[in-house]
Amino acid sequence: MPATPTTLTTLTTLDEATPAALHPVLRPLPPLTAAGARLLDAASELFYERGVRAVGVDLIADTAGTTKKTLYDRFGSKDALVALYLLRRAHRWREFLLARLADAPAAGPDRAGSPDGTRVLLVFDALEAWMGGQRRGCAFVNAYAELGGTDHPAVPVVRAEKAWMRALFDVLTGDAGLGAHVHLLYEGTLVVLTAGAGATAAVDARRAVEVALAG
Amino acid sequence: MPATPTTLTTLTTLDEATPAALHPVLRPLPPLTAAGARLLDAASELFYERGVRAVGVDLIADTAGTTKKTLYDRFGSKDALVALYLLRRAHRWREFLLARLADAPAAGPDRAGSPDGTRVLLVFDALEAWMGGQRRGCAFVNAYAELGGTDHPAVPVVRAEKAWMRALFDVLTGDAGLGAHVHLLYEGTLVVLTAGAGATAAVDARRAVEVALAG
DNA sequence: CTGCGAGTATACCGACCGGTGTGGTTACGT
DNA sequence: ACGTAACCACACCGGTCGGTATACTCGCAG
């Protein structure tokens, strides 16, 4: 029984998928001052590329062209900055994804025999475009790997993001079992794209999704 | 094109799955002195539970009831100790898994219509037994999350482990496409078991594997 | 008896960690 | 003219990081 509420599984249509209304952890982003925005930008890139614990606040402040003082005035702590980094990334990924899905024909749920290029496959297309050949994988999985055993404020953000993706696949497929199957493929694809030895993960994933939808 | 050789994909029978012969990275484990074994044991638990970067060498030496001097005399560096931790874990997981598979009927490859309880499902049973309700997930994925962007000696160990699992699924299914599908489900299951919000990952995975094998 | 590998104990190193404090400079709203 | 929020520069804090050095004890094989 997770600490965060799981009202997400009641999601039934894409229109309800505005994250803030669905999950208190996925609150709207706070406004940022000029230096604050530079700090969050610098921190986001450094955190993603090198890991959360490997990046110190001095480096963040220097990269942003500002000072530690300003960092702590704006964000209060490094932990809060980490949580905000993941929160903003989750928002941006959802916007990126929903914008692509909004252009889809999107009649009924995606099942066997639906028109080619189902919305589920669009998610995997979006994932590939989002990743763009990067080798650092899923920011949420990475952060959880570093912080999972703690009560760090970023942990519930990670769980909320994963729950939202699962709920999205449930909606797109109209079937909880199928949604779970595709969600497992989605998470597996992210891992193999990153730490896998072969380069065929993307095409493997597409074929697997097609098999799952046809089953 | 990964730096490590990928001769693993030529694996065709389970008998060839002795890791040392297959992949130079998965070399046999070096012998350990008494204090060395205590150090590696302590380091393994601490690394897995808290993450590689979050654990200092002082803590490892104290936990093992020895000193930093001995640690550096035996292992040379923290990086080498980390790589050895993952290497030993990979060996133990493979032994655990292959022992369970050796008891299976194991006629031909697992496909649709094969006897209930295929060997592929045995892998997922073994995974669940191996994890045993832990919430810290895959040690290799976690380590890669912390070290992936570097040239740390543990990185090739992680890639070799993932490549070996992929090759194993290819052998068990007798079909590269199907092996890829099941491997994605395997990696996804590990992630969702760990960072997922719901507790149904294990049963979801079993059902998804059955669908994949039947497809 | 000697040499040596293993282990213990402890002190030390420079670098970096997250976080705070002080003081001063802009720009803006009232 | 005044207060205030945002920002910068810089010094400082205790603690921890990975790694090294010195000196000593023990068991064992030649």
Side-chain angles (χ1 to χ4, degrees), chain B residues 55-57 68-69 72 78:
Chain B
V55 173
V57 287
K68 270 201 295 183
K69 177 68 160 58
Y72 279 91
K78 183 189 175 181

Side-chain angles (χ1 to χ4, degrees), chain B residues 8 15 22 31 34 37 51-52 64 66 73-74 99 101 104 145 151 162 178 192 201 207:
Chain B
L8 281 178
D15 296 333
L22 279 170
V52 164
T66 180
D73 284 347
R74 294 295 136 252
L101 287 174
D151 59 349
K162 293 306 173 199
L178 192 50
V192 174
R207 275 208 289 256

Side-chain angles (χ1 to χ4, degrees), chain B:
Chain B
M1 187 161 300
T4 52
T6 53
T7 53
L8 281 178
T9 48
T10 63
L11 183 68
T12 50
T13 73
L14 258 191
D15 296 333
E16 300 177 23
T18 53
L22 279 170
H23 204 298
V25 175
L26 304 178
R27 66 189 183 280
L29 299 171
L32 293 173
T33 64
R38 265 152 45 216
L39 281 164
L40 183 54
D41 287 344
S44 297
E45 187 175 335
L46 289 168
F47 284 158
Y48 181 68
E49 217 62 43
R50 308 189 195 180
V52 164
R53 308 196 91 115
V55 173
V57 287
D58 298 86
L59 176 60
I60 295 169
D62 287 350
T63 305
T66 180
T67 64
K68 270 201 295 183
K69 177 68 160 58
T70 301
L71 189 156
Y72 279 91
D73 284 347
R74 294 295 136 252
F75 303 103
S77 70
K78 183 189 175 181
D79 286 354
L81 182 59
V82 170
L84 190 56
Y85 144 65
L86 290 174
L87 191 63
R88 192 175 69 161
R89 191 174 175 101
H91 274 91
R92 290 184 169 180
W93 161 240
R94 272 191 302 268
E95 280 168 20
F96 180 84
L97 186 55
L98 292 176
R100 288 187 158 226
L101 287 174
D103 300 337
D110 296 349
R111 298 308 302 269
S114 62
D116 61 322
T118 63
R119 291 174 300 166
V120 170
L121 282 173
L122 275 183
V123 177
F124 283 77
D125 290 343
L127 174 62
E128 215 179 328
W130 175 266
M131 296 283 295
Q134 294 181 85
R135 300 282 296 184
R136 288 296 293 141
C138 175
F140 306 97
V141 169
N142 290 352
Y144 192 89
E146 295 189 77
L147 312 169
T150 71
D151 59 349
H152 194 286
V155 170
V157 180
V158 174
R159 285 206 217 280
E161 216 281 331
K162 293 306 173 199
W164 188 86
M165 285 304 300
R166 166 61 197 277
L168 175 69
F169 284 121
D170 284 353
V171 169
L172 293 182
T173 61
D175 176 302
L178 192 50
H181 188 151
V182 177
H183 184 222
L184 292 178
L185 289 175
Y186 168 83
E187 299 295 345
T189 303
L190 266 167
V191 169
V192 174
L193 271 177
T194 306
T200 62
V203 282
D204 289 344
R206 288 192 68 90
R207 275 208 289 256
V209 170
E210 284 161 7
V211 169
L213 292 178

Side-chain angles (χ1 to χ4, degrees), chain A residues 55-58 68-69 72 78:
Chain A
V55 174
V57 287
D58 299 85
K68 272 202 291 183
K69 179 67 164 54
Y72 279 91
K78 183 189 175 182

